[in-house]
Amino acid sequence: MLAPIWSQHHFLNKKMFFYILRRIPQTVLVIFGVTLVTFIALQIGGDPTYLFVSERASPEEIEETRKMLGFDKPLHIQYLIYLSNLVQLDFGDSLYYRQPALTVILETLPATIELTIFSMLIAIFGSIPFGILAAIYRGKWIDGSLMAIAMLGQSIPSFWLGIMCILYISLNVSWLPISGHVPFLMLIFQGEFIQAFKNLPTTITYLILPSFAVAFYSVSRNARLIRSSMLEVLSQDYVRTARSKGLSEYIVIMKHAMRNAWLPVVTIIGLEFGFVISGVVVVEVIFAWPGLGRTVFDAISNRDIPLVQAAVVVISLFVIVINLITDLVYAKLDPRIKL
Amino acid sequence: MKKLITGVAVVFGLIFPSTFTIAAPPDDTFVVGLPTDTIGLEPAQISSRHTANIMKHIFGQLYSVSETGSIDPNLAESYKISDDGKEYTFTLKEGLTCHDGEALTAEDAAYSFNRVADEDLAFTGNSAGFVYKSIDFKEARADSEREVTIVLGGPNHIALGLIAEVYVHCKDSYEKMSKDEAASNPIGSGPYEFVKWDKGSQIVLKKAANPPIPTNFENVIWRVIPEASTRTAELIAGNVDMITNASPDQVEAIDASSTAKVAKVQGTRRMYVGFHQGPEFAVTPGGAAIQKPEVRRALQYAVNVPAICENLLNAPCTRMTGIVNPNNAHPNLEPYPYDPEIAEYLLDQAGYPRDANGVRFEITLQAGEGRYLNDKNVVLAICQYLDDVGVKTNCEILDWSAVYIPLIKEKKAGPMYFIGSGGATWSPLYDMADLSAPDSGPNYTKWMNEEWFKGWKVINNTNDEYIIRREIDRMLEVFYNEGPWLHLYFQPDFYGVSNRVNWNPRRDEKVDLFNATLK
Amino acid sequence: MNSKKTNNQNIKDFLFALIKNKWALTSIIWLFIIIAIAIFASQLAPFDPNKNNIMERVAPPLTLDKQGNMKYLIGSDALGRDSFSRLIFGAQVSLIVGFSAVLVGGILGTALGVYAGYYGKWIDDIIMRLADIQLAFPFILLAILFLVVLGEGLINLIIVLGIGQWVTYARIARAQTISQKEKEYVEAAKALGVNNFSIMFGSILPNIFAPLIVIASFNVASVILAEAALSFLGLGVPPQIPTWGAMLAESRDHIFAKRWWMPFFPGMAILLTVLAFNIVGDWLRDYLDPRLKEVE
């Protein structure tokens, strides 16, 4: 007897399954829109032929190069060719690396995933203790100073924070490495688990500063958010009831308040991801982090159209999937939400 | 919660003791910090200086140009030129191998040259685009086990130096690979063997089993560090041995550190402001003004080039006297001095007095950003100098690759534009070849001066060194008096070098690590 | 609700609440000072912010000229331009960029959001799919893409930063409009034959304005930070136009040489102004959202 797929997972109920199904055509539409926007934007200012000729190129060399790169065809034809290839999951070759664009993306993706996940962990878990402490000691000096730091954290440009970290934490006292990357996820994908876990401690030391620079803004914002939602929850009737029952403050906070204070945090995780990705570009440049953010920044500067397209599609898919997961988790946490 | 905190503490406890000190590279390894990654690793497809620098460690050339400008044996030990000057026959050294162990013969060398020209493979860039077109490459053939002949369309005085820019590889190994595979798996013939390329991060090389020329370090790592401050920090911390493109404003800080010094060289790249002579700009008042040689000459006096070098490039310089690098330049020409009064006088004389607002004429100066040493600030300073003599200059600083390069290559930048053109010390003709014909690729000014261009006929029809030199000097005088360039400087290059190593930079932006040693 | 008396009462309440909160008050005062500096930049700046003199570059603060008069109050930059004048004009540019981008994003987003919420159905669908596309496209990528392609410039920067913001406004405006649409006053207006445009922007919009203003306040802050990030990447406005972000980004060349004043002044300007917008945003939210006030 064939059981429906959702019955095997207690997380995924029937409603959710159909919700995911409903989202698929939307996703296709979004991907199509994103590629169209990118394509038009990259084509507005002319083609990238000039970046692939020698310093002293002659007009014939330029014309020949244009033909070889395929930019001599009309624009709509180029886009149709691109789309028909995309349907077959062929993103074309990167003009710059002369390799399939998807290969280049997949090679740089793991480093960015490491950075993103670590940053999001810091952004989420780093902010919780601060938010709760501030809420518990509302109006006291702890609250004041934590919130002051949080306020400052939302006002410093991340590139500056990164450079200051390099200068004072890495160079002056050499607590952490200055820049660079030691692969972990890449090795996992390649199946070299032993080497990967040997690398892990070093990988993390290289991750700390960049993820801190990415996440500091978010930590600050989330801490403030958690504080206010905690405050709200603490004033609710059921918390008052719990207190009046004589439960210890610790249990009241951990059991009752925390669970409900989480909700607004979960909603912003989806948005957080888009935000972290944005922060990642700048930070990858500063910390020489070989990730997708820098690759796509360079690719845009070099007009490497296939590479930009592939990167944008992959990143958009990520954002969409993370948002979907967020919606599902939210629905799970708060049964009042209907999908 | 408690468990979590304990867990985190344990993890940190494990990590920190092991990595508290971040180690300098091992004694047998040389680490270079580069601002950008390589553009692929295909020996037949090179369009960036950094890529060429990495490739010349992996691949041998028949001959190579040394830092002093001499052209020295590399894979080949000798060469001879046929009487008509069209055939260059090289004799390879004995016992050469490629890194996969295959013997490297004349057949392989001929294959390397012919592969670049293979239309199916559609290569562009330096070899296929510039070198082959300049020497009018016809074919390469293997005459015997160790003799390879390169056939040109006609005699060429700089062919040997240009042939030195083509990288040699083995036929069997490259025929086995698809174009995609070849782009990231170089199988070399040079002193270093390719180990791995982590995109955006590093390129790792190790010493080849059978290096064709001697070299010291066992391993070479090229690390990509885009941000200049980070490169400087890594150098000072001792994690890299050499960085290219050090920022001029960080020179003092590096010199003041106990771990590294800055090596400055005057490069061969000729930085200039072009005066576009084409009819498309002649319709604008500024474009019309700079069509007059007197105006161009006047503007030479308006810009304080030594001050720009001293203050913005942090390297004293002598202003250029023209298109050719100093060692080959006209011996009797003096650089234009900075004298705004002469400039103003000449502009008055040329028929451009200041109007009521103190403006003689308006003109646009275009430049790209981020390619040359402190380019943005140099251009802003030049605009100020021109403003000061009454030429109201509209400074347009554009994105380098997306906007400026297309303008330049289509010869639409102007009426004034700022750019640098790579030069060489080994021949004045190489430098002058920018203007080898009115329609030559790098003649972005569309300059048509007959007195200049007729010189090429004289040079190409003789082998007499004296006549060639005399003609060169005559042309350089024309260029000095009426040329389409506002003379600036030869770009200085800054390399940060760790005190751990001995390494000397070259003038021509090429980096080789063969002679580097540990202190 | 619309009578004059209650309006006055509202303003009084507002000012009273503001004076009670010393941080919000300080922030508002600081913002007014910055706005005044921006408006009177050409009167206040001692020098032309673009006049360079490479002989007097990277002068330290309080540098005097030969006659002993103040020349560079807070030093000169890498081209010998007066940093104080550039800081003053930078206020102008930062605020123009901040406010204009928020206006562009706010107007666009609010209009689309109100339309989507009011009409629903396929209009809502199209607008919300556009929002999805926008959200799937991380802001910085869009900004880099368009600035590289369209070229640097104040207008381009404002458009790009504005477009990056519209979804937030659209979502809030849509949600609010949906909840307002069923209210009596809308039904009444419809019955009276008022046209849809007037209902949307004459009746509904004033009632949903409060949360949008709060968002706008935070957004000005994030736009100023985004401008700084783009300046670091070498995008943004042409180098002649002084912005705080570009001044801070350029100063990083000098931190190794310990020229602390070069990052300090533009850095503080950004920090304090962004801080002020955030504090004001916080306070406005608390003021306009009575739920939280009870808690406090």
Side-chain angles (χ1 to χ4, degrees):
Chain A
M1 203 175 75
L2 278 171
I5 185 167
W6 53 83
S7 67
Q8 295 152 12
H9 308 274
H10 69 274
F11 180 79
L12 209 64
N13 60 33
K14 189 169 165 183
K15 219 168 69 191
M16 284 176 171
F17 182 74
F18 283 108
Y19 178 70
I20 294 173
L21 274 189
R22 266 211 321 277
R23 289 276 285 255
I24 289 175
Q26 289 180 19
T27 306
V28 172
L29 203 71
V30 169
I31 295 289
F32 174 76
V34 161
T35 59
L36 189 64
V37 170
T38 322
F39 187 83
I40 292 172
L42 284 169
Q43 292 286 4
I44 288 173
D47 66 57
T49 306
Y50 298 102
L51 302 176
F52 299 92
V53 297
S54 66
E55 196 179 333
R56 294 177 169 190
S58 59
E60 302 90 70
E61 186 193 335
I62 292 171
E63 214 28 64
E64 279 170 29
T65 310
R66 175 168 292 131
K67 214 181 254 172
M68 284 165 195
L69 295 171
F71 292 112
D72 54 337
K73 299 191 184 72
L75 288 189
H76 61 280
I77 302 284
Q78 287 183 39
Y79 186 62
L80 287 179
I81 293 176
Y82 173 75
L83 273 190
S84 66
N85 288 336
L86 185 64
V87 173
Q88 304 159 36
L89 284 181
D90 174 8
F91 287 89
D93 277 7
S94 154
L95 304 175
Y96 192 84
Y97 288 107
R98 299 208 145 221
Q99 279 185 318
L102 199 58
T103 313
V104 177
I105 298 297
L106 294 181
E107 273 181 55
T108 53
L109 190 61
T112 294
I113 295 181
E114 287 163 6
L115 184 56
T116 312
I117 291 180
F118 213 75
S119 305
M120 287 185 70
L121 288 179
I122 294 182
I124 296 162
F125 293 104
S127 54
I128 291 173
F130 293 127
I132 294 177
L133 268 181
I136 295 172
Y137 295 97
R138 169 165 45 102
K140 308 266 167 52
W141 66 269
I142 294 185
D143 180 27
S145 40
L146 282 178
M147 286 305 108
I149 294 173
M151 270 300 196
L152 286 179
Q154 274 181 285
S155 314
I156 297 175
S158 64
F159 78 85
W160 193 254
L161 190 66
I163 292 176
M164 289 299 114
C165 286
I166 286 183
L167 210 61
Y168 290 104
I169 298 178
S170 303
L171 194 59
N172 280 8
V173 293
S174 36
W175 282 354
L176 289 165
I178 294 169
S179 71
H181 169 240
V182 174
F184 169 73
L185 267 186
M186 189 68 185
L187 295 174
I188 296 280
F189 293 151
Q190 289 167 347
E192 296 175 33
F193 298 106
I194 296 172
Q195 187 57 40
F197 283 99
K198 264 190 199 159
N199 278 359
L200 188 58
T202 346
T203 306
I204 292 177
T205 53
Y206 278 85
L207 261 170
I208 293 172
L209 285 187
S211 358
F212 175 69
V214 172
F216 193 50
Y217 183 96
S218 308
V219 171
S220 308
R221 193 187 48 193
N222 296 355
R224 279 151 36 87
L225 202 80
I226 289 168
R227 173 179 177 272
S228 42
S229 64
M230 273 297 277
L231 286 180
E232 202 176 330
V233 171
L234 286 176
S235 68
Q236 302 274 321
D237 288 343
Y238 65 90
V239 174
R240 290 199 187 129
T241 320
R243 276 197 184 130
S244 64
K245 273 198 264 171
L247 290 176
S248 82
E249 190 68 18
Y250 180 80
I251 290 176
V252 171
I253 287 165
M254 285 303 152
K255 276 233 167 103
H256 297 269
M258 269 285 278
R259 186 181 154 86
N260 291 290
W262 258 95
L263 280 178
V265 179
V266 174
T267 6
I268 58 163
I269 290 175
L271 293 173
E272 191 71 62
F273 182 74
F275 195 85
V276 164
I277 284 278
S278 286
V280 153
V281 177
V282 167
V283 168
E284 285 186 350
V285 171
I286 294 172
F287 288 93
W289 194 262
L292 189 55
R294 226 177 80 207
T295 307
V296 68
F297 174 56
D298 290 342
I300 293 173
S301 310
N302 295 322
R303 297 264 176 122
D304 191 341
I305 296 173
L307 190 54
V308 177
Q309 290 280 29
V312 165
V313 169
V314 169
I315 293 174
S316 308
L317 270 177
F318 257 90
V319 175
I320 292 168
V321 170
I322 299 264
N323 276 324
L324 182 64
I325 294 174
T326 319
D327 287 354
L328 296 178
V329 171
Y330 198 71
K332 198 81 194 169
L333 285 180
D334 188 349
R336 286 168 299 177
I337 301 289
K338 74 170 202 280
L339 285 171
Chain B
M1 199 66 178
K2 254 184 192 168
K3 272 183 197 163
L4 186 74
I5 293 169
T6 331
V8 170
V10 168
V11 169
F12 274 68
L14 287 174
I15 293 164
F16 275 94
S18 60
T19 50
F20 227 88
T21 51
I22 294 124
D27 280 354
D28 61 353
T29 303
F30 192 100
V31 185
V32 184
L34 292 178
T36 55
D37 200 358
T38 177
I39 309 180
L41 288 167
E42 163 60 71
Q45 174 71 43
I46 291 171
S47 50
S48 103
R49 174 56 63 199
H50 291 306
T51 305
N53 281 333
I54 296 166
M55 296 303 251
K56 70 184 288 203
H57 289 79
I58 307 175
F59 293 94
Q61 305 107 293
L62 292 176
Y63 266 64
S64 51
V65 179
S66 79
E67 53 188 288
T68 56
S70 63
I71 303 180
D72 300 339
N74 190 312
L75 295 177
E77 57 186 25
S78 66
Y79 71 98
K80 56 177 188 287
I81 307 173
S82 66
D83 292 341
D84 62 0
K86 288 184 182 176
E87 299 204 346
Y88 283 66
T89 302
F90 295 86
T91 307
L92 297 179
K93 287 175 183 165
E94 262 180 287
L96 295 174
T97 52
C98 283
H99 296 156
D100 57 355
E102 189 191 338
L104 195 163
T105 63
E107 197 196 349
D108 296 309
Y111 169 78
S112 307
F113 276 79
N114 290 327
R115 181 170 175 268
V116 171
D118 187 337
E119 281 178 9
D120 292 341
L121 293 171
F123 289 121
T124 62
N126 192 55
S127 302
F130 168 59
V131 172
Y132 280 31
K133 291 215 161 51
S134 302
I135 62 175
D136 194 9
F137 175 84
K138 293 295 175 204
E139 60 155 344
R141 62 163 194 267
D143 297 331
S144 70
E145 184 74 16
R146 283 171 52 210
E147 277 177 320
V148 59
T149 296
I150 313 292
V151 184
L152 319 182
N156 188 318
H157 297 295
I158 56 174
L160 189 62
L162 292 173
I163 287 171
E165 293 185 16
V166 178
Y167 298 101
V168 175
H169 40 279
C170 281
K171 184 177 177 179
D172 288 353
S173 32
Y174 270 80
E175 277 190 336
K176 261 185 267 172
M177 287 192 282
S178 71
K179 203 175 163 184
D180 277 354
E181 289 166 342
S184 53
N185 297 299
I187 297 169
S189 57
Y192 284 97
E193 188 180 339
F194 170 75
V195 177
K196 64 169 177 170
W197 175 25
D198 298 332
K199 288 203 183 66
S201 180
Q202 59 177 1
I203 297 123
V204 181
L205 311 179
K206 68 167 194 232
K207 200 191 236 180
N210 179 19
I213 55 171
T215 183
N216 281 316
F217 280 91
E218 279 300 319
N219 305 293
V220 171
I221 297 174
W222 310 81
R223 269 194 63 191
V224 183
I225 308 172
E227 166 60 25
S229 311
T230 313
R231 278 203 301 284
T232 302
E234 289 281 20
L235 176 75
I236 292 176
N239 300 330
V240 299
D241 296 308
M242 188 269 278
I243 59 171
T244 68
N245 306 57
S247 159
D249 279 315
Q250 296 175 357
V251 167
E252 275 81 22
I254 296 172
D255 282 342
S257 77
S258 58
T259 46
K261 290 279 171 293
V262 170
K264 289 181 198 178
V265 278
Q266 180 168 22
T268 53
R269 186 172 291 280
R270 299 150 294 159
M271 306 303 303
Y272 69 94
V273 171
F275 295 112
H276 200 292
Q277 301 295 297
E280 57 271 47
F281 286 115
V283 293
T284 65
I290 56 162
Q291 302 242 327
K292 297 186 179 175
E294 312 90 83
V295 172
R296 301 203 291 271
R297 213 150 41 226
L299 297 184
Q300 304 274 13
Y301 291 98
V303 179
N304 191 349
V305 176
I308 289 176
C309 294
E310 183 90 36
N311 293 295
L312 295 182
L313 308 180
N314 205 346
C317 69
T318 313
R319 188 177 187 177
M320 61 165 66
T321 62
I323 193 167
V324 168
N325 266 280
N327 59 328
N328 295 316
H330 190 300
N332 302 327
L333 292 178
E334 286 295 322
Y336 283 103
Y338 169 58
D339 195 331
E341 280 169 24
I342 295 183
E344 298 228 26
Y345 173 78
L346 289 176
L347 285 168
D348 284 341
Q349 296 294 305
Y352 292 96
R354 283 178 185 260
D355 68 9
N357 300 322
V359 176
R360 296 171 189 280
F361 58 86
E362 282 191 31
I363 195 162
T364 297
L365 197 165
Q366 296 185 316
E369 186 181 350
R371 174 65 179 77
Y372 305 116
L373 193 63
N374 222 347
D375 45 16
K376 182 179 75 186
N377 285 342
V378 168
V379 171
L380 289 173
I382 293 170
C383 289
Q384 183 72 57
Y385 280 121
L386 297 178
D387 268 342
D388 290 347
V389 297
V391 177
K392 191 160 183 258
T393 313
N394 167 29
C395 249
E396 278 184 11
I397 295 177
L398 308 165
D399 179 75
W400 171 262
S401 44
V403 186
Y404 187 58
I405 276 299
L407 280 177
I408 281 286
K409 300 276 182 192
E410 285 169 13
K411 304 191 183 180
K412 285 181 186 159
M416 292 206 283
Y417 64 85
F418 170 84
I419 203 162
S421 178
T425 49
W426 50 272
S427 167
L429 293 172
Y430 182 95
D431 285 356
M432 291 162 71
D434 272 356
L435 304 173
S436 59
D439 63 348
S440 78
N443 185 10
Y444 311 127
T445 59
K446 296 194 175 175
W447 193 48
M448 312 268 281
N449 186 300
E450 272 179 39
E451 289 299 309
W452 168 274
F453 288 104
K454 77 180 188 193
W456 288 108
K457 281 201 196 92
V458 179
I459 292 169
N460 288 336
N461 288 328
T462 180
N463 270 328
D464 184 328
E465 291 291 331
Y466 174 75
I467 296 177
I468 292 176
R469 186 67 231 189
R470 199 182 59 190
E471 192 59 21
I472 287 174
D473 286 344
R474 189 193 63 78
M475 289 166 79
L476 292 179
E477 274 169 48
V478 173
F479 191 87
Y480 182 83
N481 290 317
E482 306 190 1
W485 288 15
L486 194 156
H487 302 166
L488 295 178
Y489 49 86
F490 299 96
Q491 173 166 277
D493 296 317
F494 295 89
Y495 297 87
V497 185
S498 163
N499 290 341
R500 192 177 85 104
V501 294
N502 292 306
W503 177 83
N504 292 314
R506 296 170 55 134
R507 286 194 49 211
D508 53 6
E509 298 181 8
K510 292 181 182 165
V511 167
D512 48 40
L513 308 172
F514 310 121
N515 296 325
T517 55
L518 202 67
K519 263 184 188 160
Chain C
M1 179 151 188
N2 286 326
S3 79
K4 215 170 175 194
K5 202 180 164 192
T6 38
N7 242 351
N8 280 339
Q9 191 56 45
N10 279 344
I11 291 172
K12 258 187 206 160
D13 280 355
F14 179 84
L15 288 177
F16 186 69
L18 180 63
I19 290 166
K20 241 173 57 179
N21 185 324
K22 57 182 188 295
W23 287 110
L25 187 64
T26 319
S27 301
I28 293 252
I29 292 173
W30 169 256
L31 291 180
F32 273 113
I33 293 174
I34 296 290
I35 290 169
I37 289 176
I39 292 172
F40 299 107
S42 17
Q43 282 78 39
L44 289 170
F47 298 102
D48 174 353
N50 278 318
K51 165 88 181 158
N52 70 54
N53 179 356
I54 57 173
M55 302 299 207
E56 294 178 5
R57 70 193 299 270
V58 296
L62 305 177
T63 300
L64 307 177
D65 64 10
K66 286 190 188 104
Q67 283 79 41
N69 301 319
M70 182 56 66
K71 184 88 191 268
Y72 300 119
L73 185 63
I74 58 168
S76 67
D77 73 358
L79 264 168
R81 297 175 294 202
D82 178 36
S83 298
F84 185 58
S85 305
R86 286 185 81 71
L87 201 65
I88 286 172
F89 275 93
Q92 199 176 46
V93 178
S94 294
L95 289 190
I96 288 176
V97 170
F99 284 127
S100 316
V102 166
L103 269 183
V104 168
I107 291 174
L108 187 73
T110 307
L112 288 175
V114 171
Y115 257 94
Y118 188 78
Y119 286 109
K121 303 207 180 89
W122 62 272
I123 293 183
D124 185 25
D125 266 346
I126 290 181
I127 292 174
M128 285 302 109
R129 284 305 80 73
L130 277 177
D132 286 344
I133 293 175
Q134 175 75 51
L135 284 182
F137 214 130
F139 163 68
I140 199 101
L141 291 190
L142 195 75
I144 296 169
L145 191 61
F146 277 88
L147 287 175
V148 165
V149 172
L150 300 177
E152 298 182 337
L154 210 53
I155 303 289
N156 289 350
L157 185 69
I158 288 170
I159 292 173
V160 158
L161 291 171
I163 286 178
Q165 318 270 359
W166 73 271
V167 178
T168 328
Y169 297 95
R171 289 193 152 177
I172 291 172
R174 175 177 173 271
Q176 297 276 332
T177 304
I178 290 173
S179 69
Q180 294 285 325
K181 175 161 89 164
E182 314 297 333
K183 295 233 167 118
E184 269 168 41
Y185 72 95
V186 177
E187 301 290 335
K190 270 187 184 164
L192 282 171
V194 180
N195 70 27
N196 285 330
F197 189 84
S198 302
I199 296 178
M200 283 190 288
F201 297 105
S203 313
I204 297 181
L205 188 61
N207 285 308
I208 63 170
F209 217 60
L212 297 173
I213 288 291
V214 174
I215 299 290
S217 178
F218 289 121
N219 263 356
V220 177
S222 59
V223 164
I224 294 175
L225 288 181
E227 189 274 324
L230 289 171
S231 290
F232 168 79
L233 293 174
L235 299 163
V237 295
Q240 288 95 326
I241 300 178
T243 69
W244 292 342
M247 290 174 79
L248 183 63
E250 281 166 15
S251 75
R252 71 187 190 274
D253 249 9
H254 303 271
I255 48 178
F256 285 99
K258 307 239 170 353
R259 299 187 185 113
W260 58 269
W261 60 90
M262 298 188 76
F264 180 78
F265 294 101
M268 286 312 276
I270 293 177
L271 187 79
L272 294 178
T273 307
V274 170
L275 201 58
F277 275 111
N278 280 335
I279 291 175
V280 170
D282 262 359
W283 174 77
L284 269 178
R285 187 182 50 201
D286 293 352
Y287 176 73
L288 296 170
D289 183 353
R291 273 187 315 160
L292 282 178
K293 249 199 309 205
E294 281 165 25
V295 179
E296 299 283 343

